Amino acid sequence: MFAFFERSIMKKIGLTTTVPIEVLIAAGYTPVDLNNLFITSADYLAYIELAEKEGFPKSTCAWTKGIYGACIRHDIKEVIGVVEGDCSNTKALIEVMKMKGIEVYPFAFPQEHTIEAVTMSIKTFSKRFEIDENTVEFTRKHLNKIRANAIEIDQLTYDTHKVTGFENHLLQLCLSDFNGNPEAYEALLTQKRDEISKRQENPKMIRLAYIGVPPMTGDLFDFVEALDARFVYNEVQREFAFPRAGQAKNIYEQYFDYTYPYELDFRIAEIVKQIEARHVHGIIHYTQAFCHRAIEDIVLRDRLKIPMLTIEGDKLNTMDARTKLRVEAFVDMICEIEADK
Ligand code: SF4
């Protein structure tokens, strides 16, 4: 289906987070996740600096500044701003974008987490882009076929010992925008899956869960592998891949079942399920400096009954020495607990 669209002439549209991308692709857009554009750039610090020079306070989180910088630097003219359910900074961010002449379309994951409210929100979104339900559904089925490859790779991460935590993180994360090209991303996932299944197993002693917003510090994954540990569950990245989409009857159910933007209890129920299914020994909760979601740590600590370490990242894309020491001590502690069992 997507071969119908000549990608070189499809208009780019920036995303501040995961949204019903099915609507945008059906409307002929190439969605670009501004977070990925920011964090994968060798120039990522320049994006933050650009935002700070334009007046973003030092006390604004690096992701917010980075996605703004990426949007300006890449001359993105249209953006979907998620005004409910994601980030408390977005409302102010999109005001600045509008001032800069960027066309911003709002989308909301409704506070009232009911199927009726989610349905209404997606219908309003589809109407704005003049896309009917059948076209959205056709697109959803196509994208879910591609997502199924990432779900399989996720299963291989905890069923076998053939996938690294970083691969698991990255391959699911990029499904927020299909890396800008669903067909090419499908080919990459298929090739990766085939290559992974031929690998020798490389087991690690400690099985970890990563929860929280995706990290600025991508070196965390390889760092723990060197300590004989592996992330076998990447919570939010996995949600970006919509692992339960196959059970959803339509797009409304699919986005109703997406845990990240809704109430914490809903999110925790899925985390607990996965921790048990994947035999996780310990959790690392990543929080971002100046992010309101860091407060959720209080509830997560209370509700998740296995060892948990909370770390914080700020502007740099590598961990500082203190964080490395804390992660190392945490893994050592889990090793001791497991050895005593
Ligand atoms: S890390 Fe927190 S404050 Fe920053 S963009 Fe994400 S949700 Fe918003």
Side-chain angles (χ1 to χ4, degrees):
M1 172 199 178
F2 300 104
F4 274 52
F5 302 118
E6 183 54 60
R7 287 218 166 264
S8 57
I9 58 164
M10 282 172 74
K11 278 192 297 181
K12 285 187 179 166
I13 190 159
L15 313 179
T16 57
T17 186
T18 296
V19 295
I21 195 173
E22 290 78 359
V23 174
L24 302 173
I25 290 177
Y29 280 100
T30 295
V32 178
D33 188 328
L34 298 171
N35 296 279
N36 299 352
L37 207 56
F38 157 56
I39 201 62
T40 56
S41 169
D43 232 10
Y44 76 99
L45 280 172
Y47 295 172
I48 297 175
E49 274 170 32
L50 185 155
E52 287 181 348
K53 272 190 194 145
E54 294 203 11
F56 280 74
K58 293 269 177 216
S59 58
T60 305
C61 108
W63 282 109
T64 301
K65 289 186 278 203
I67 63 179
Y68 174 76
C71 185
I72 300 295
R73 187 62 70 82
H74 289 264
D75 201 22
I76 306 278
K77 298 286 187 210
E78 293 175 85
V79 165
I80 306 296
V82 175
V83 291
E84 224 178 296
D86 177 43
C87 174
S88 59
N89 288 343
T90 306
K91 274 189 185 162
L93 172 67
I94 63 180
E95 291 303 329
V96 180
M97 286 176 167
K98 282 199 259 182
M99 187 191 81
K100 288 280 176 183
I102 296 165
E103 180 91 38
V104 183
Y105 308 95
F107 177 75
F109 289 103
Q111 199 69 34
E112 183 200 350
H113 185 202
T114 61
I115 189 69
E116 292 78 17
V118 175
T119 300
M120 190 181 291
S121 182
I122 296 178
K123 281 193 170 168
T124 306
F125 192 57
S126 305
K127 200 168 158 202
R128 182 178 281 270
F129 291 98
E130 298 177 357
I131 298 299
D132 64 66
E133 224 167 26
N134 290 339
T135 312
V136 170
E137 189 54 22
F138 185 76
T139 313
R140 183 180 86 93
K141 287 196 172 130
H142 181 83
L143 295 185
N144 282 347
K145 256 180 56 208
I146 302 174
R147 289 176 174 127
N149 294 294
I151 296 165
E152 215 178 302
I153 292 173
D154 183 39
Q155 272 170 0
L156 287 171
T157 312
Y158 63 92
D159 277 353
T160 72
H161 304 281
K162 295 184 175 182
V163 185
T164 68
F166 183 72
E167 288 171 323
N168 180 287
H169 151 79
L170 191 66
L171 293 170
Q172 295 187 98
L173 186 79
C174 290
L175 281 170
S176 61
D177 65 355
F178 290 79
N179 227 10
N181 185 332
E183 304 91 331
Y185 203 58
E186 180 176 27
L188 176 85
L189 285 174
T190 313
Q191 178 242 315
K192 258 320 239 186
R193 189 200 52 209
D194 294 347
E195 183 253 309
I196 286 166
S197 53
K198 289 186 199 125
R199 281 183 197 168
Q200 295 289 323
E201 295 207 345
N202 175 20
K204 300 287 177 186
M205 190 194 283
I206 301 300
R207 299 164 73 87
L208 296 172
Y210 176 97
I211 65 171
V213 295
M216 282 288 297
T217 51
D219 59 338
L220 170 67
F221 297 94
D222 288 346
F223 184 75
V224 303
E225 298 252 343
L227 302 174
D228 207 9
R230 175 169 294 146
F231 287 104
V232 296
Y233 173 47
N234 286 303
E235 182 223 347
V236 174
Q237 298 89 325
R238 176 172 176 264
E239 290 300 311
F240 288 174
F242 289 89
R244 301 166 299 280
Q247 289 120 58
K249 288 202 285 295
N250 49 45
I251 193 162
Y252 314 117
E253 285 192 6
Q254 180 171 324
Y255 282 83
F256 171 80
D257 184 50
Y258 172 47
T259 64
Y260 177 64
Y262 301 116
E263 69 276 16
L264 203 44
D265 277 350
F266 187 60
R267 207 179 125 197
I268 289 173
E270 182 61 22
I271 296 174
V272 169
K273 206 160 123 193
Q274 293 307 318
I275 283 173
E276 284 169 13
R278 297 171 191 231
H279 308 290
V280 167
H281 299 117
I283 301 168
I284 294 190
H285 180 207
Y286 176 89
T287 59
Q288 185 66 36
F290 311 113
C291 173
H292 57 102
R293 284 185 178 271
I295 301 168
E296 294 172 346
D297 190 65
I298 301 165
V299 183
L300 291 164
R301 283 190 168 277
D302 181 63
R303 301 282 301 281
L304 301 172
K305 303 295 183 196
I306 63 169
M308 181 164 136
L309 173 74
T310 304
I311 59 172
E312 186 183 79
D314 190 0
K315 285 184 188 173
L316 294 180
N317 68 358
T318 52
M319 287 186 293
D320 57 31
R322 181 173 167 269
T323 305
K324 284 182 180 172
L325 265 176
R326 292 183 65 228
V327 171
E328 214 171 324
F330 180 66
V331 172
D332 279 352
M333 182 197 76
I334 298 175
C335 282
E336 280 170 27
I337 293 173
E338 291 306 311
D340 287 347
K341 277 186 180 168

